[in-house]
Amino acid sequence: MKAVSSLSGLESLAMDMNEKKLTVIGNVDPVDVVSKLRKSWHAEILTVGPAKEPEKKTEDEKKAEENKKKAEEDKKKAEEEKKKESEKQIAELLKLYQSYNNHCTQYYPVYSSEEDPNSCVIS
């Protein structure tokens, strides 16, 4: 690994001791890698090619994902509208109830001077 790690353009090295393989990833000439390794060990090239790119999604998969996202957004919007509508109904019922039962009193907090140590009493 030390012999190969000095090459320029190297991105990563991985060694599998069980299969006796050295995986070199990067923009490196494979002939240079083998020539460095052959000085100490028997070396051969198994595969050479570009790095594996992540799989690209097909158009059908993209459309399916977009449809799922749209469906989720529609559900969220519908839930929000239901919540707003129910809040409006509750507010309307409360107004009607208060107008019908106008003897309902609203409670206001009253603090005594004994509860509040910073209060001032003038007599």
Side-chain angles (χ1 to χ4, degrees), residues 34-49:
V34 172
S35 64
K36 291 262 187 181
L37 291 173
R38 281 194 178 158
K39 290 179 183 176
S40 303
W41 302 281
H42 169 72
E44 61 184 58
I45 300 173
L46 295 178
T47 58
V48 175

PDB file of all heavy atoms in Angstrom, residues 34-49:
ATOM      1  N   VAL A  34       0.608  -1.172 -11.410  1.00  0.00           N
ATOM      2  CA  VAL A  34       1.124  -2.535 -11.503  1.00  0.00           C
ATOM      3  C   VAL A  34       2.650  -2.536 -11.476  1.00  0.00           C
ATOM      4  O   VAL A  34       3.264  -3.402 -10.828  1.00  0.00           O
ATOM      5  CB  VAL A  34       0.584  -3.223 -12.787  1.00  0.00           C
ATOM      6  CG1 VAL A  34       1.254  -4.559 -13.013  1.00  0.00           C
ATOM      7  CG2 VAL A  34      -0.916  -3.405 -12.685  1.00  0.00           C
ATOM      8  N   SER A  35       3.275  -1.570 -12.140  1.00  0.00           N
ATOM      9  CA  SER A  35       4.742  -1.543 -12.137  1.00  0.00           C
ATOM     10  C   SER A  35       5.289  -1.295 -10.735  1.00  0.00           C
ATOM     11  O   SER A  35       6.319  -1.867 -10.353  1.00  0.00           O
ATOM     12  CB  SER A  35       5.258  -0.493 -13.117  1.00  0.00           C
ATOM     13  OG  SER A  35       4.861   0.797 -12.696  1.00  0.00           O
ATOM     14  N   LYS A  36       4.607  -0.461  -9.947  1.00  0.00           N
ATOM     15  CA  LYS A  36       5.035  -0.235  -8.563  1.00  0.00           C
ATOM     16  C   LYS A  36       4.881  -1.501  -7.738  1.00  0.00           C
ATOM     17  O   LYS A  36       5.730  -1.820  -6.898  1.00  0.00           O
ATOM     18  CB  LYS A  36       4.208   0.882  -7.914  1.00  0.00           C
ATOM     19  CG  LYS A  36       4.473   2.247  -8.458  1.00  0.00           C
ATOM     20  CD  LYS A  36       5.432   2.961  -7.559  1.00  0.00           C
ATOM     21  CE  LYS A  36       5.551   4.402  -8.025  1.00  0.00           C
ATOM     22  NZ  LYS A  36       6.468   5.144  -7.227  1.00  0.00           N
ATOM     23  N   LEU A  37       3.755  -2.224  -7.946  1.00  0.00           N
ATOM     24  CA  LEU A  37       3.505  -3.429  -7.156  1.00  0.00           C
ATOM     25  C   LEU A  37       4.391  -4.598  -7.569  1.00  0.00           C
ATOM     26  O   LEU A  37       4.741  -5.446  -6.749  1.00  0.00           O
ATOM     27  CB  LEU A  37       2.036  -3.826  -7.257  1.00  0.00           C
ATOM     28  CG  LEU A  37       1.046  -2.885  -6.569  1.00  0.00           C
ATOM     29  CD1 LEU A  37      -0.376  -3.304  -6.887  1.00  0.00           C
ATOM     30  CD2 LEU A  37       1.275  -2.865  -5.080  1.00  0.00           C
ATOM     31  N   ARG A  38       4.748  -4.688  -8.843  1.00  0.00           N
ATOM     32  CA  ARG A  38       5.546  -5.823  -9.321  1.00  0.00           C
ATOM     33  C   ARG A  38       6.970  -5.802  -8.783  1.00  0.00           C
ATOM     34  O   ARG A  38       7.663  -6.808  -8.842  1.00  0.00           O
ATOM     35  CB  ARG A  38       5.569  -5.848 -10.846  1.00  0.00           C
ATOM     36  CG  ARG A  38       4.302  -6.416 -11.414  1.00  0.00           C
ATOM     37  CD  ARG A  38       4.453  -6.741 -12.862  1.00  0.00           C
ATOM     38  NE  ARG A  38       3.193  -7.335 -13.349  1.00  0.00           N
ATOM     39  CZ  ARG A  38       2.832  -7.344 -14.601  1.00  0.00           C
ATOM     40  NH1 ARG A  38       3.610  -6.821 -15.521  1.00  0.00           N
ATOM     41  NH2 ARG A  38       1.701  -7.898 -14.962  1.00  0.00           N
ATOM     42  N   LYS A  39       7.405  -4.670  -8.274  1.00  0.00           N
ATOM     43  CA  LYS A  39       8.747  -4.617  -7.695  1.00  0.00           C
ATOM     44  C   LYS A  39       8.841  -5.503  -6.462  1.00  0.00           C
ATOM     45  O   LYS A  39       9.898  -6.036  -6.149  1.00  0.00           O
ATOM     46  CB  LYS A  39       9.102  -3.178  -7.329  1.00  0.00           C
ATOM     47  CG  LYS A  39       9.324  -2.294  -8.536  1.00  0.00           C
ATOM     48  CD  LYS A  39       9.649  -0.885  -8.118  1.00  0.00           C
ATOM     49  CE  LYS A  39       9.799   0.006  -9.350  1.00  0.00           C
ATOM     50  NZ  LYS A  39      10.027   1.404  -8.987  1.00  0.00           N
ATOM     51  N   SER A  40       7.695  -5.693  -5.754  1.00  0.00           N
ATOM     52  CA  SER A  40       7.712  -6.474  -4.516  1.00  0.00           C
ATOM     53  C   SER A  40       6.864  -7.738  -4.596  1.00  0.00           C
ATOM     54  O   SER A  40       7.170  -8.721  -3.927  1.00  0.00           O
ATOM     55  CB  SER A  40       7.204  -5.627  -3.357  1.00  0.00           C
ATOM     56  OG  SER A  40       7.979  -4.464  -3.220  1.00  0.00           O
ATOM     57  N   TRP A  41       5.773  -7.732  -5.385  1.00  0.00           N
ATOM     58  CA  TRP A  41       4.851  -8.851  -5.428  1.00  0.00           C
ATOM     59  C   TRP A  41       4.424  -9.157  -6.850  1.00  0.00           C
ATOM     60  O   TRP A  41       4.648  -8.364  -7.768  1.00  0.00           O
ATOM     61  CB  TRP A  41       3.565  -8.521  -4.638  1.00  0.00           C
ATOM     62  CG  TRP A  41       3.802  -8.179  -3.208  1.00  0.00           C
ATOM     63  CD1 TRP A  41       4.037  -9.047  -2.196  1.00  0.00           C
ATOM     64  CD2 TRP A  41       3.829  -6.876  -2.647  1.00  0.00           C
ATOM     65  NE1 TRP A  41       4.222  -8.372  -1.026  1.00  0.00           N
ATOM     66  CE2 TRP A  41       4.094  -7.021  -1.273  1.00  0.00           C
ATOM     67  CE3 TRP A  41       3.692  -5.590  -3.144  1.00  0.00           C
ATOM     68  CZ2 TRP A  41       4.205  -5.952  -0.403  1.00  0.00           C
ATOM     69  CZ3 TRP A  41       3.797  -4.521  -2.295  1.00  0.00           C
ATOM     70  CH2 TRP A  41       4.049  -4.711  -0.937  1.00  0.00           C
ATOM     71  N   HIS A  42       3.757 -10.286  -6.986  1.00  0.00           N
ATOM     72  CA  HIS A  42       3.125 -10.621  -8.264  1.00  0.00           C
ATOM     73  C   HIS A  42       1.846  -9.788  -8.356  1.00  0.00           C
ATOM     74  O   HIS A  42       1.024  -9.799  -7.443  1.00  0.00           O
ATOM     75  CB  HIS A  42       2.786 -12.121  -8.323  1.00  0.00           C
ATOM     76  CG  HIS A  42       1.904 -12.480  -9.476  1.00  0.00           C
ATOM     77  ND1 HIS A  42       2.376 -12.481 -10.760  1.00  0.00           N
ATOM     78  CD2 HIS A  42       0.596 -12.808  -9.542  1.00  0.00           C
ATOM     79  CE1 HIS A  42       1.392 -12.811 -11.578  1.00  0.00           C
ATOM     80  NE2 HIS A  42       0.297 -13.021 -10.855  1.00  0.00           N
ATOM     81  N   ALA A  43       1.666  -9.065  -9.462  1.00  0.00           N
ATOM     82  CA  ALA A  43       0.508  -8.189  -9.596  1.00  0.00           C
ATOM     83  C   ALA A  43      -0.073  -8.329 -10.993  1.00  0.00           C
ATOM     84  O   ALA A  43       0.653  -8.504 -11.973  1.00  0.00           O
ATOM     85  CB  ALA A  43       0.892  -6.745  -9.342  1.00  0.00           C
ATOM     86  N   GLU A  44      -1.380  -8.270 -11.067  1.00  0.00           N
ATOM     87  CA  GLU A  44      -2.066  -8.275 -12.351  1.00  0.00           C
ATOM     88  C   GLU A  44      -3.301  -7.390 -12.254  1.00  0.00           C
ATOM     89  O   GLU A  44      -3.856  -7.186 -11.170  1.00  0.00           O
ATOM     90  CB  GLU A  44      -2.449  -9.693 -12.778  1.00  0.00           C
ATOM     91  CG  GLU A  44      -3.387 -10.397 -11.825  1.00  0.00           C
ATOM     92  CD  GLU A  44      -3.660 -11.822 -12.249  1.00  0.00           C
ATOM     93  OE1 GLU A  44      -2.695 -12.607 -12.370  1.00  0.00           O
ATOM     94  OE2 GLU A  44      -4.846 -12.118 -12.453  1.00  0.00           O
ATOM     95  N   ILE A  45      -3.732  -6.883 -13.404  1.00  0.00           N
ATOM     96  CA  ILE A  45      -4.898  -6.000 -13.459  1.00  0.00           C
ATOM     97  C   ILE A  45      -6.133  -6.848 -13.685  1.00  0.00           C
ATOM     98  O   ILE A  45      -6.193  -7.633 -14.642  1.00  0.00           O
ATOM     99  CB  ILE A  45      -4.743  -4.970 -14.595  1.00  0.00           C
ATOM    100  CG1 ILE A  45      -3.502  -4.116 -14.358  1.00  0.00           C
ATOM    101  CG2 ILE A  45      -5.986  -4.110 -14.698  1.00  0.00           C
ATOM    102  CD1 ILE A  45      -3.175  -3.196 -15.520  1.00  0.00           C
ATOM    103  N   LEU A  46      -7.130  -6.728 -12.814  1.00  0.00           N
ATOM    104  CA  LEU A  46      -8.375  -7.477 -12.981  1.00  0.00           C
ATOM    105  C   LEU A  46      -9.403  -6.674 -13.784  1.00  0.00           C
ATOM    106  O   LEU A  46      -9.962  -7.172 -14.751  1.00  0.00           O
ATOM    107  CB  LEU A  46      -8.957  -7.862 -11.618  1.00  0.00           C
ATOM    108  CG  LEU A  46      -8.115  -8.822 -10.793  1.00  0.00           C
ATOM    109  CD1 LEU A  46      -8.779  -9.075  -9.452  1.00  0.00           C
ATOM    110  CD2 LEU A  46      -7.910 -10.121 -11.532  1.00  0.00           C
ATOM    111  N   THR A  47      -9.664  -5.443 -13.387  1.00  0.00           N
ATOM    112  CA  THR A  47     -10.617  -4.602 -14.109  1.00  0.00           C
ATOM    113  C   THR A  47     -10.137  -3.161 -14.091  1.00  0.00           C
ATOM    114  O   THR A  47      -9.511  -2.706 -13.140  1.00  0.00           O
ATOM    115  CB  THR A  47     -12.022  -4.633 -13.482  1.00  0.00           C
ATOM    116  OG1 THR A  47     -11.940  -4.203 -12.130  1.00  0.00           O
ATOM    117  CG2 THR A  47     -12.640  -6.003 -13.546  1.00  0.00           C
ATOM    118  N   VAL A  48     -10.469  -2.454 -15.172  1.00  0.00           N
ATOM    119  CA  VAL A  48     -10.167  -1.032 -15.278  1.00  0.00           C
ATOM    120  C   VAL A  48     -11.414  -0.375 -15.840  1.00  0.00           C
ATOM    121  O   VAL A  48     -12.011  -0.864 -16.794  1.00  0.00           O
ATOM    122  CB  VAL A  48      -8.970  -0.767 -16.216  1.00  0.00           C
ATOM    123  CG1 VAL A  48      -8.752   0.726 -16.394  1.00  0.00           C
ATOM    124  CG2 VAL A  48      -7.719  -1.423 -15.697  1.00  0.00           C
ATOM    125  N   GLY A  49     -11.822   0.717 -15.231  1.00  0.00           N
ATOM    126  CA  GLY A  49     -12.993   1.414 -15.744  1.00  0.00           C
ATOM    127  C   GLY A  49     -13.321   2.608 -14.886  1.00  0.00           C
ATOM    128  O   GLY A  49     -12.685   2.856 -13.866  1.00  0.00           O
TER     129      GLY A  49
END
